Amino acid sequence: MAEPAVKRTPGRGRFITFEGGEGSGKSTHIKILADRLNAAKLRAIITREPGGSPGAEIIRHLLLSGMGKLLGPDAETLLFAAARDDHVQTVIKPALNQGIWVLCDRFSDSTRAYQGRLGKVAPAVLNAMERVTIGDLKPDLTIILDVPVEVGMQRAAKRRGTGEPDRFEAEDLAFHQELRDAYRQIAAAEPQRCVLIDATADPSTVAANVWTALRDRFFTTGANMANHA
Ligand code: TYD
């Protein structure tokens, strides 16, 4: 594959987040994208939230076991924020500063959707948390993979096999429907940053649409290269 020329701010990596409900295919597509970027000689790492750093993985364990739920929505949100703070400081920012592209499976839009819309945590609390944990580190691009709830739940159940559903997978269909609506609203509210992709299509079509979203924002080719490199 021809090496893409990257637009703007050379030297800094790009921060791309993947969002979506359960079974939307984030992990599949984040992997395909990382492989494609690496094949194009752009160093890319995959990370995830909650987790992604040793400290944050400890908090992930608490959250997904359902322990955070016992504390109530505000305190559970604080745990997500604590995990994010560690992850941003120790993994995401250092990588971006070294020119590495960071592909993150879930980020602050998950907090907006799960804790904000579904947990009814007040926007003022979420804004305050974001100021502390993220500051001015907004994703350069957010891919939101959209699937009907029934499809996503079926895929998640298949992937899980005989294992127990985690704290969020165990919620009912109405929860997941509202989650989907929340993501669609986020995509509509921030079209510059977010791209909503129909993830019911076959994986190669979804992967091609993800790549198009990157190409439109970050790459330029041929004659324009000198202007942007
Ligand atoms: P994970 O097993 O990584 O789920 P998925 O494969 O669906 O990404 O579990 C992460 C769960 O944590 C997921 O159900 C969404 C939830 N979550 C929040 O509620 N708030 C957040 O800020 C983040 C990052 C995740």
Side-chain angles (χ1 to χ4, degrees), residues 113-180:
Y114 283 80
Q115 282 67 53
R117 174 78 170 262
L118 286 145
K120 309 268 181 292
V121 172
V125 173
L126 299 180
N127 292 341
M129 292 294 93
E130 283 188 8
R131 268 199 306 281
V132 174
T133 57
I134 306 177
D136 57 5
L137 178 82
K138 269 225 161 195
D140 296 300
L141 170 66
T142 296
I143 302 283
I144 300 180
L145 296 179
D146 182 54
V147 279
V149 168
E150 294 75 9
V151 175
M153 300 287 281
Q154 259 171 25
R155 285 184 187 168
K158 201 168 154 196
R159 182 183 58 187
R160 197 164 58 234
T162 53
E164 288 286 304
D166 70 28
R167 141 103 178 83
F168 294 97
E169 287 168 347
E171 297 281 359
D172 64 12
L173 270 183
F175 175 101
H176 292 283
Q177 186 59 55
E178 203 170 340
L179 186 64
R180 184 182 185 206

Side-chain angles (χ1 to χ4, degrees), residues 22-155:
E22 315 294 323
S24 56
K26 289 180 287 89
S27 47
T28 302
H29 288 290
I30 211 164
K31 170 92 176 61
I32 293 173
L33 180 60
D35 289 347
R36 197 157 182 184
L37 287 168
N38 286 319
K41 305 234 171 356
L42 292 167
R43 279 181 68 200
I45 56 165
I46 296 177
T47 187
R48 68 169 179 188
E49 289 210 347
S53 62
E57 287 291 328
I58 295 171
I59 301 174
R60 175 188 174 89
H61 183 69
L62 278 176
L63 284 164
L64 295 192
S65 70
M67 299 259 284
K69 187 178 182 182
L70 298 175
L71 304 174
D74 282 355
E76 192 178 35
T77 304
L78 289 171
L79 286 177
F80 278 107
R84 178 159 305 135
D85 189 54
D86 191 62
H87 185 215
V88 166
Q89 298 306 330
T90 66
V91 174
I92 299 178
K93 279 189 173 167
L96 291 173
N97 288 336
Q98 288 171 56
I100 298 168
W101 291 48
V102 176
L103 312 184
C104 190
D105 189 339
R106 297 193 180 283
F107 194 61
S108 52
D109 294 311
S110 285
T111 312
R112 293 267 162 194
Y114 283 80
Q115 282 67 53
R117 174 78 170 262
L118 286 145
K120 309 268 181 292
V121 172
V125 173
L126 299 180
N127 292 341
M129 292 294 93
E130 283 188 8
R131 268 199 306 281
V132 174
T133 57
I134 306 177
D136 57 5
L137 178 82
K138 269 225 161 195
D140 296 300
L141 170 66
T142 296
I143 302 283
I144 300 180
L145 296 179
D146 182 54
V147 279
V149 168
E150 294 75 9
V151 175
M153 300 287 281
Q154 259 171 25
R155 285 184 187 168

Side-chain angles (χ1 to χ4, degrees), residues 5-10 14 215-220 228-229:
V6 181
K7 287 179 188 172
R8 300 187 306 266
T9 51
R14 297 293 182 276
R215 203 189 50 206
D216 291 349
R217 279 170 176 71
F218 303 132
F219 305 139
T220 182
H228 298 289

